[in-house]
Amino acid sequence: MTQHYFTEKPKSVFKKEIFQVNIKDLMITINSGSGLFSIKDLDFGSKLLIENAKISAKATVLDLGCGYGIIGIAIKKIYPDSDVWMCDVNERAVKLAKENCTVNNVQCTVLKSNIFSNPLFRDKSFDIILSNPPFSAGKKICFQFIEQSFHHINKNGSLQIVAPHNKGGESLKKKMLEVFGNAGELTKKSGYRIYISKK
Ligand SMILES: C[S@@+](CC[C@H](N)C(=O)[O-])C[C@H]1O[C@@H](n2cnc3c(N)ncnc32)[C@H](O)[C@@H]1O
């Protein structure tokens, strides 16, 4: 049976990969491997989001669908006073995201969670939610990321999502407009855009 990167309990034999990401003058080591998204290198969309996300120095930030944790770790490195949380439904991703926090010497809260199902999210909201959403899991899940994020964002906070505009991104922007009443674009490059909705 094919196992996707968004499988909760990957059964594939774990083949480890390690690579380094050089972003915003930072060198970040990533432990990755089979059963995850973008196994061998940083995804173009994730890089674009890290480089262009609008973050204030002491923000509380959630990397929703964190994979091996690159977005959250990079944000914590760039903004050391931020309070960064990350979550993923894939328990292998969660394990590696925790390892990667240790390897890169950052303290973040990493949770296994089906979107916001983890009880620690019950009364928790964030200034900023960042996501490179799981298109392969289907639009319905991506829409749920947007709908549920609305309830976990502080007043004046924002949801910032990266996506390939002509391959599904446009519909995410529409959904963000429907849920938040506004949807703008922070940047666009090589077919990818970063959408932002403010609360
Ligand atoms: C496109 S990947 C991005 C991974 C990582 N943020 C990165 O930039 O490399 C989307 C991630 O969303 C996760 N995901 C899929 N469905 C989810 C769900 N229901 N709840 C939480 N995370 C989910 C996947 O396991 C995957 O790691």
Side-chain angles (χ1 to χ4, degrees), residues 2-198:
T2 313
Q3 293 240 307
H4 299 281
Y5 65 75
F6 48 86
T7 299
E8 190 175 349
K9 292 177 188 291
K11 297 262 185 315
S12 58
V13 176
F14 182 60
K15 189 169 164 278
K16 190 163 184 152
E17 301 278 346
I18 301 181
F19 60 88
Q20 296 223 304
V21 172
N22 187 349
I23 192 160
K24 288 219 161 198
D25 292 332
L26 293 166
M27 193 58 95
I28 297 175
T29 300
I30 290 296
N31 290 302
S32 168
S34 36
L36 298 189
F37 171 75
S38 203
I39 295 171
K40 290 180 189 281
D41 202 359
L42 172 60
D43 174 66
F44 178 85
S46 304
K47 181 166 188 278
L48 194 68
L49 182 58
I50 293 165
E51 288 174 337
N52 294 281
K54 243 181 142 177
I55 313 261
S56 51
K58 293 186 177 175
T60 51
V61 180
L62 172 67
D63 173 1
L64 180 57
C66 64
Y68 40 60
I70 181 61
I71 296 174
I73 291 169
I75 294 302
K76 181 68 183 171
K77 287 256 182 211
I78 300 166
Y79 304 96
D81 292 332
S82 60
D83 176 19
V84 175
W85 291 45
M86 316 180 197
C87 71
D88 204 287
V89 72
N90 177 336
E91 55 188 38
R92 192 176 279 178
V94 172
K95 183 170 176 282
L96 285 164
K98 286 182 180 168
E99 266 178 49
N100 286 326
C101 287
T102 305
V103 167
N104 292 286
N105 211 13
V106 293
Q107 286 202 323
C108 302
T109 304
V110 185
L111 302 175
K112 176 176 185 289
S113 186
N114 184 346
I115 319 185
F116 291 97
S117 71
N118 189 303
L120 290 179
F121 282 128
R122 194 164 299 138
D123 299 315
K124 180 74 191 164
S125 54
F126 298 88
D127 297 322
I128 294 152
I129 296 182
L130 302 174
S131 191
N132 181 352
F135 270 109
S136 319
K139 227 175 240 181
K140 195 173 159 210
I141 289 282
C142 296
F143 284 177
Q144 286 173 354
F145 269 39
I146 295 167
E147 286 159 349
Q148 295 187 28
S149 286
F150 182 81
H151 303 291
H152 293 273
I153 293 179
N154 296 326
K155 192 163 181 282
N156 297 319
S158 64
L159 172 65
Q160 301 176 33
I161 283 186
V162 65
H165 189 70
N166 293 328
K167 292 184 184 160
E170 201 171 357
S171 67
L172 295 194
K173 186 180 177 191
K174 253 193 195 159
K175 187 70 183 176
M176 289 168 76
L177 178 62
E178 183 191 313
V179 172
F180 285 80
N182 65 87
E185 291 179 10
L186 285 178
T187 194
K188 54 179 171 179
K189 192 172 178 187
S190 304
Y192 282 76
R193 298 192 191 184
I194 297 175
Y195 310 113
I196 180 167
S197 287
K198 295 180 185 157

